[in-house]
C-alpha cells in the first residue's frame, strides 16, 4: 500500500503539489489524470525521492519513505518509468522495464 498524505512538493520556490492525499492499493491499478503541467510527474518524482517533499509524507506498507534516497526507495520495489527517452540502450525492453 502506497500512501500520500497531505503531500507538498515543487521546484525551489515554485510549489506544485499542495497537500495531495491518495492511496494506491495492492492488486489495483491507479491512474492519475491531468493536463500537461498539472503535476503528475512531480508527484511520481516526489514518491521516488527524486524531489524532496516540502510537507506531508509518502509511506509504503506503513513505513515512511519520504526522506529516503531514490536508491533505497527502489530497493523496496518502487520504480519510476519516465516519459522521456531515459532508457538503457544496451538493454532489452524487458530489462529496461
Ligand atoms: N525542473 C523543473 N523546474 C521548475 N519547474 C518545473 C520543473 N519540472 C516541472 N516544472 C513545473 O511544475 C509544474 C508541474 O509539472 P509536471 O509535474 O511535469 O506536470 P505533468 O507531468 O502533469 O505534465 C509545471 O508548471 C511545470 O512547468
Ligand atoms: Mg509529466
Amino acid at each position: 500500500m502506497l500512501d500520500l498524505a497531505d503531500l507538498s512538493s515543487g521546484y525551489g520556490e515554485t510549489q506544485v503539489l499542495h497537500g495531495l492525499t491518495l492511496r494506491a492499493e495492492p492488486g489495483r491499478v491507479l491512474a492519475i489524470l491531468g493536463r500537461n503541467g498539472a503535476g503528475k510527474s512531480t508527484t511520481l518524482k516526489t514518491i521516488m525521492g527524486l524531489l524532496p517533499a516540502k510537507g506531508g509524507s509518502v509511506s509504503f506498507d506503513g513505513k515512511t519513505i519520504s526522506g529516503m534516497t531514490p536508491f533505497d526507495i527502489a530497493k523496496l520495489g518502487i520504480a519510476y518509468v519516465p516519459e522521456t527517452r531515459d532508457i538503457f540502450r544496451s538493454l532489452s525492453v524487458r530489462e529496461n522495464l
Side-chain angles (χ1 to χ4, degrees):
M1 183 113 63
L2 181 71
D3 271 297
L4 275 52
D6 201 22
L7 188 65
S8 298
S9 180
Y11 306 87
E13 292 181 3
T14 306
Q15 188 172 349
V16 175
L17 304 185
H18 300 260
L20 174 63
T21 297
L22 64 81
R23 169 173 291 178
E25 298 188 13
R28 305 197 63 175
V29 174
L30 174 72
I32 302 173
L33 308 179
R35 61 163 170 72
N36 194 17
K40 305 177 296 294
S41 295
T42 302
T43 301
L44 296 176
K45 285 183 217 166
T46 309
I47 291 171
M48 201 64 218
L50 295 166
L51 274 179
K54 291 183 200 279
S57 66
V58 181
S59 59
F60 185 60
D61 286 343
K63 178 188 176 190
T64 301
I65 63 168
S66 26
M68 288 172 55
T69 63
F71 178 76
D72 284 328
I73 292 172
K75 284 200 289 189
L76 296 173
I78 299 175
Y80 170 53
V81 182
E83 66 185 323
T84 53
R85 296 175 191 168
D86 296 338
I87 58 170
F88 299 98
R89 288 175 174 276
S90 60
L91 303 183
S92 68
V93 171
R94 178 180 292 277
E95 287 166 338
N96 265 287
L97 291 173

